[in-house]
Structure formats: C-alpha cells, structure tokens
Amino acid sequence: MEVSSEQIWQAVYQTLYMVGVSLVFATLIGLPLGILLVVTRKGHILENQAIFSILNPIINVLRSVPFIILLVAIIPFTRLLVGTSIGTTAAIVPLVIYTGPYIARLIENSLLEVNAGIIEAAEAMGATPMQIIFRFLIPETLGSLVLSITTATIGLIGATAMAGAVGGGGIGDLAITYGYQRFSTITIVATVIILVVLVQGIQSLGNRLARKIRRK
C-alpha cells in the first residue's frame, strides 16, 4: 500500500506544527537561560556563582541525553501535562525539554561574542544591567541570534523525525509506518526529499535575515 498525497500533506503539517510550537516554548525557556549563563558568570554584569554553578551543569545534563531516550524517560511527565504520551501534541513536551537547553547554549555562545569594551562603555554611561542586556548585548548579537535560532529549528526537524518512532506523527512517523515497516522505498525517498527541502528552506531564510540585520 503506497502512501497518498493527503497523508503526505498531513505529515508535513504535523511536522510544522510540532516544530513551530516547540520552537516558541523552547525559545521562551532557552533565551532567558542563555542570558543568565552569560551575565552571571565570573566578571560579568550580574556575577553570581551560585546561579551559574546550578544552571551550567543542569543544562549540560539535559543536553547530554539523546532525544530518543528523553522521549521515553519523561512519558509520565508528558502524560501529566497533556493527558497522553502518544501523538503530535504529546511529542511537543519532550521536544521543548530537549531544545530549550540547546537554545540556551546557542544564545550563550552568541552573547559571549560581544566585545567587553562595549559593556564597559555602557557601564561608564550609567546603564543598568537590564539596559545593558536589552540595549547592548542583544542588539549587538541579533544577527548571530537569528542564526542560532535557525540552527535550533533545523535540529528540531530532526528530532520530530525521531518522535515518529513512538507515534509522534509527522514525516518521521510516515517514513517508519509506510516506508520502513511496509518496505516502501518510494515513501522513504519522498520523506527524505521533504526533510531536505524544509531544512534548506529554513537555513536559507535564516541566512537571509541574518545578513539583513548585520547590514543595518
């Protein structure tokens, strides 16, 4: 039995739904965490070794867990939040937990690119820590932040494909159910092409936005 075009479009929609919703929540978590990792480190504007020493290892631990293991490990938590551990919506929970720390590290790396002289100049002008963060740190690295979010989005697409292994829906589920289990080479090829097109499109869009921001 070959997969229909309707099933393909539904799988694409499910993948975009998982990526979109997960990216929003993961960014809401990862952005402040990334900022905290920078400003609380030694010698920075809000130096706090206690906070940094807690956040840093927690993020390292979460990032070290492979997504497929995390997906299974937090099934009780997923069921508690959304009432089920199977389906597209249920897959969003582990996707957010997996991507949030990843975004935090990407944000941290971007913000660390800011020249220390800029921060010193801002402090000399009497800027508060919040003003330094939102008027100097973030604007100075906005192009890099766009590329970081682009990278995280592409990582999310790969993770949604793995979510299909446990009934998460989307392109990964289509590839496993119709391509692998039913030995449909055409389905496998089609899903790979769709994923490649999605990744290339998102990467191109991210690159274009970053270039426009850096030219301003």
Side-chain angles (χ1 to χ4, degrees):
M1 178 181 176
E2 295 296 339
V3 64
S4 66
S5 59
E6 183 179 346
Q7 289 171 309
I8 291 176
W9 283 114
Q10 183 181 17
V12 171
Y13 167 77
Q14 289 173 337
T15 295
L16 293 177
Y17 168 69
M18 285 189 284
V19 170
V21 176
S22 299
L23 184 64
V24 170
F25 284 103
T27 302
L28 290 175
I29 294 171
L31 181 59
L33 285 179
I35 292 172
L36 278 175
L37 283 171
V38 172
V39 300
T40 59
R41 66 178 54 238
K42 187 176 181 180
H44 222 283
I45 57 175
L46 290 173
E47 179 180 339
N48 190 315
Q49 283 299 302
I51 292 177
F52 183 81
S53 298
I54 292 171
L55 281 182
N56 195 49
I58 289 175
I59 290 174
N60 284 339
V61 168
L62 289 174
R63 284 197 60 207
S64 66
V65 180
F67 178 68
I68 195 68
I69 295 175
L70 178 68
L71 191 66
V72 176
I74 66 167
I75 281 177
F77 180 64
T78 301
R79 190 179 292 118
L80 178 67
L81 283 183
V82 298
T84 180
S85 60
I86 299 174
T88 305
T89 301
I92 291 173
V93 177
L95 285 170
V96 170
I97 295 174
Y98 174 74
T99 311
Y102 181 48
I103 289 179
R105 282 298 182 208
L106 293 173
I107 298 297
E108 177 192 21
N109 291 336
S110 295
L111 294 178
L112 287 174
E113 295 175 2
V114 177
N115 193 301
I118 294 176
I119 299 174
E120 291 172 1
E123 290 177 323
M125 289 186 291
T128 65
M130 294 301 288
Q131 287 174 330
I132 292 174
I133 291 170
F134 291 104
R135 295 186 182 181
F136 293 90
L137 281 178
I138 293 179
E140 281 292 322
T141 59
L142 196 54
S144 179
L145 292 176
V146 168
L147 291 178
S148 295
I149 297 300
T150 301
T151 301
T153 305
I154 292 171
L156 259 175
I157 292 174
T160 60
M162 285 187 281
V166 291
I171 297 172
D173 188 34
L174 191 73
I176 292 169
T177 303
Y178 290 89
Y180 176 71
Q181 295 179 351
R182 302 186 185 185
F183 307 103
S184 174
T185 304
I186 294 177
T187 302
I188 292 290
V189 172
T191 53
V192 169
I193 291 173
I194 292 170
L195 288 172
V196 168
V197 170
L198 281 177
V199 168
Q200 290 297 322
I202 290 170
Q203 187 65 65
S204 297
L205 178 61
N207 290 343
R208 191 172 303 151
L209 286 174
R211 281 197 300 269
K212 285 184 178 180
I213 291 170
R214 286 170 173 169
R215 287 172 184 170
K216 291 181 179 180

